[in-house]
Amino acid sequence: MSSDGIEISVSDPLPLPLPDAEEPEAALVAGGSPPGDADVPPPERPDDADGHIDIGASGTYRERKDSYRRSLNDGTIKSVDPCEFRGSIRSIVQEGDEKERGFLHKAFTCLTKGGTSFDSFLLAASQEVGQSILTLPWVFSLVGMTSGICLQLFFATAALYTNYLLVNLHTEYRKRLAVDKDDPRSSDVHYVVSYADIMGYLIGWPMKWLSFAAVFVSLFGLTTVQIIATGSNMYIFYPEIPKRTWGLISGAVFALLAFIPNFRHYRFLVVTANIATTYTSWYMTISAATDPDAPEDPVYDAPRNYDEWFRGMVGLLFVYGGHASNIEVADVMDDHSTYDRAYFWSYLYVFTLTMPNAATAYYSYGNIVRDNQNAFGLYEASPARDFGIIMMCINNLVAFGLFIGPLFHIMEKALKIHRKAFWIRVLARLPLIGIIVLFAIAFPFYGAFNTVLGAFTTSFATYIIPLIAFNLVFRKKDDTINMAKPLPAFVQSKFWLMRFFNYFLAFVLLVSGVGLGGYASIKNFVAQIDQFQYFAECYG
């Protein structure tokens, strides 16, 4: 209950007057600060007999916005259901008056924009599986069938668990920030939460900067690898053009994503991306199982040594590395506290793509897979294969946008242009994409790049930091009593065991993933540079 008599869930930001934005989109993009309200006479009470304001009432966009502002100023809003508030206010802010717009605009908006739980599922699935399905057979050829299956189950389940911890921390952060009137972010309707914000506010500056470094490098690497993967795919599709040139072409096309405001505008793109990965994965699975040219007696000699096994291990760890951008995705959805449920369903969906693809390819081809870091190289040219290549390039485009979105947000805040007009921010985004493209063509080593990212960024951003951070925020059982997102009863009763498990899992991943896996992946990465040199025109 605020000083103005407004009752609202503390997991949402305190409602404030909406900005006088000419474009309803402004409230969802990190830019533009709310100007001061003009003096207006109190309107006739808009609430019903129970004191609830009809914030979804009819009228033009500006009439509804002004009515909501006046109702806040004169204290006529007595209570607002959190879900109703979040959904309706987002609708008012971003969509404007749909009745005054044509059918084509409505249809386009429906296809391209959304903030529902289903949109969360699509975004999560697009983040978790993409170009990595092309390297999974190669990873299995390093660790072997048994280790591959067990490690994939382990890392997928661990990623699901740490995402749940992150959603808990995110919701707790929103709750505490909402009642902290000394923090200007609590009154900023444009504010989008970042991973580092949560860690800095709940724990302190050391964890803030550790998480910032891990997330920044992770996102930079994840965007870079999308360009590398697209160049590799297109070279298989049309080998007359060098991979380096394909990388430059891919980067130029990917630069168009700078013109998409935020994650709520990705609905059509993520639907297409998920169709792409589903088709490609099952095409590879069926082709590998039915290929008449597959060796009759494939050789299964993995793992051949510890270096290869640890490289394969961090390659599998990398597959579930989307947590670096999960916070920004969840925060622009209608209800960020339910993102863990969407992630759970995406986890099940992703598993139906990754496991059959990797296991079948390695079973059919054996150690031949080790010479094909991009699995498309295993299959003969055909319309079905070429269609899969094009679809995976589209998927890489979408994944690039999902991972570079938080980088845009970080850069705009650092340059203090996050409140400027959108076209100014677009101009600032393009040079960042140029730097990423330059990095992609300088180090175009597909599988080697994935393993380095898995060891040094995914280990921290996806696993270690959420595990440690949760324990530092909730140190004893009493701290969980008033959690914004309560733990299940059976977990609360054994809270000490949960904390012990978090520390143990973080230690195991630190030693095996960052330590041993990091050593093996760096050793291989340096060998790739020695073999192909920087800015290689063609490479393995």
Side-chain angles (χ1 to χ4, degrees):
M1 182 73 71
S2 73
S3 59
D4 294 328
I6 303 172
E7 182 180 349
I8 185 166
S9 169
V10 291
S11 64
D12 288 303
L14 292 178
L16 285 178
L18 299 179
D20 282 321
E22 290 299 323
E23 298 180 6
E25 302 291 348
L28 280 181
V29 184
S33 58
D37 295 327
D39 292 329
V40 291
E44 182 178 349
R45 290 176 63 87
D47 52 319
D48 59 22
D50 296 326
H52 290 76
I53 182 172
D54 183 7
I55 56 180
S58 61
T60 67
Y61 161 71
R62 187 166 295 282
E63 287 171 351
R64 285 183 284 143
K65 184 190 71 174
D66 289 344
S67 174
Y68 176 67
R69 179 194 293 117
R70 296 186 193 111
S71 303
L72 285 167
N73 289 341
D74 68 5
T76 55
I77 298 180
K78 293 183 180 179
S79 64
V80 179
D81 178 78
C83 294
E84 178 188 3
F85 171 80
R86 180 176 287 274
S88 299
I89 293 306
R90 285 194 188 279
S91 176
I92 290 173
V93 172
Q94 70 170 332
E95 295 177 8
D97 187 12
E98 293 293 339
K99 294 182 180 179
E100 297 178 1
R101 295 174 175 171
F103 170 78
L104 290 178
H105 182 275
K106 294 178 183 178
F108 179 77
T109 300
C110 180
L111 287 172
T112 59
K113 288 170 56 180
T116 65
S117 295
F118 183 64
D119 292 297
S120 297
F121 161 79
L122 292 173
L123 286 161
S126 297
Q127 288 175 315
E128 293 307 315
V129 66
Q131 56 82 27
S132 58
I133 66 173
L134 303 180
T135 63
L136 279 176
W138 172 73
V139 169
F140 268 53
S141 75
L142 299 180
V143 299
M145 183 71 78
T146 302
S147 290
I149 293 173
C150 293
L151 286 172
Q152 192 170 344
L153 283 168
F154 171 75
F155 286 125
T157 306
L160 183 67
Y161 174 66
T162 55
N163 182 74
Y164 172 76
L165 298 182
L166 268 181
V167 171
N168 270 270
L169 293 170
H170 182 192
T171 308
E172 185 69 22
Y173 169 76
R174 274 296 190 183
K175 168 187 172 181
R176 298 186 188 184
L177 185 65
V179 296
D180 185 359
K181 297 182 179 179
D182 294 330
D183 194 315
R185 292 173 296 186
S186 67
S187 59
D188 187 352
V189 294
H190 304 282
Y191 173 57
V192 177
V193 178
S194 70
Y195 197 122
D197 288 344
I198 295 174
M199 300 304 162
Y201 188 90
L202 295 179
I203 301 172
W205 68 264
M207 185 62 82
K208 174 182 178 179
W209 290 110
L210 173 63
S211 60
F212 175 84
V215 168
F216 184 88
V217 176
S218 176
L219 292 172
F220 191 93
L222 287 164
T223 51
T224 301
V225 81
Q226 306 307 320
I227 297 174
I228 296 173
T230 305
S232 176
N233 290 346
M234 292 307 297
Y235 180 74
I236 293 173
F237 177 78
Y238 188 73
E240 299 302 317
I241 296 178
K243 292 184 181 181
R244 184 176 64 192
T245 305
W246 277 123
L248 291 170
I249 295 172
S250 303
V253 174
F254 287 11
L256 296 174
L257 293 173
F259 296 91
I260 297 181
N262 66 28
F263 291 133
R264 290 180 72 89
H265 299 77
Y266 271 76
R267 174 177 284 178
F268 176 76
L269 290 175
V270 294
V271 169
T272 306
N274 282 292
I275 292 174
T277 52
T278 302
Y279 169 83
T280 303
S281 179
W282 284 106
Y283 156 73
M284 289 183 170
T285 301
I286 295 171
S287 296
T290 60
D291 187 357
D293 296 326
E296 294 184 3
D297 297 307
V299 178
Y300 308 111
D301 59 353
R304 296 185 300 179
N305 52 61
Y306 287 111
D307 277 358
E308 286 192 352
W309 192 90
F310 280 108
R311 277 169 49 207
M313 183 202 71
V314 292
L316 283 169
L317 183 151
F318 170 77
V319 174
Y320 301 94
H323 290 35
S325 62
N326 278 0
I327 298 299
E328 285 81 0
V329 171
D331 202 61
V332 298
M333 295 296 110
D334 292 337
D335 187 356
H336 59 77
S337 65
T338 62
Y339 185 74
D340 56 329
R341 302 175 198 170
Y343 190 89
F344 172 75
W345 292 111
S346 75
Y347 156 86
L348 295 181
Y349 164 74
V350 165
F351 223 79
T352 66
L353 304 183
T354 56
M355 185 66 78
N357 167 42
T360 306
Y362 182 60
Y363 180 79
S364 297
Y365 299 105
N367 62 359
I368 295 176
V369 180
R370 196 175 298 125
D371 299 324
N372 293 271
Q373 295 185 14
N374 187 328
F376 277 126
L378 291 168
Y379 307 102
E380 293 294 330
S382 67
R385 189 207 67 170
D386 292 346
F387 179 73
I389 289 176
I390 299 301
M391 292 298 286
M392 283 306 298
C393 290
I394 295 174
N395 173 82
N396 294 342
L397 170 74
V398 177
F400 181 88
L402 295 178
F403 292 125
I404 203 171
L407 286 181
F408 286 155
H409 183 57
I410 292 169
M411 182 197 65
E412 289 162 9
K413 290 182 69 176
L415 296 177
K416 301 187 185 301
I417 61 171
H418 58 294
R419 298 182 182 279
K420 301 294 184 181
F422 182 58
W423 68 268
I424 295 176
R425 300 200 305 278
V426 168
L427 292 178
R429 292 175 175 187
L430 294 174
L432 175 62
I433 295 177
I435 294 172
I436 291 171
V437 173
L438 180 66
F439 202 85
I441 63 174
F443 304 100
F445 315 122
Y446 191 21
F449 205 99
N450 284 4
T451 58
V452 171
L453 285 178
F456 293 103
T457 64
T458 307
S459 292
F460 281 102
T462 299
Y463 300 101
I464 296 172
I465 292 178
L467 291 165
I468 299 299
F470 186 87
N471 281 9
L472 294 178
V473 174
F474 304 104
R475 296 175 180 273
K476 52 185 181 297
K477 184 177 180 179
D478 291 344
D479 295 336
T480 66
I481 295 175
N482 294 316
M483 286 180 66
K485 186 177 176 66
L487 296 172
F490 73 91
V491 175
Q492 281 192 323
S493 64
K494 301 290 185 182
F495 186 64
W496 66 269
L497 185 59
M498 178 182 183
R499 283 174 49 83
F500 173 80
F501 175 76
N502 288 352
Y503 280 131
F504 175 76
L505 183 57
F507 175 77
V508 170
L509 290 168
L510 182 66
V511 173
S512 60
V514 181
L516 299 174
Y519 168 77
S521 60
I522 286 292
K523 182 179 177 181
N524 178 60
F525 192 78
V526 171
Q528 294 279 309
I529 295 175
D530 291 340
Q531 181 179 356
F532 297 105
Q533 302 301 314
Y534 304 103
F535 298 100
E537 185 176 33
C538 287
Y539 49 90

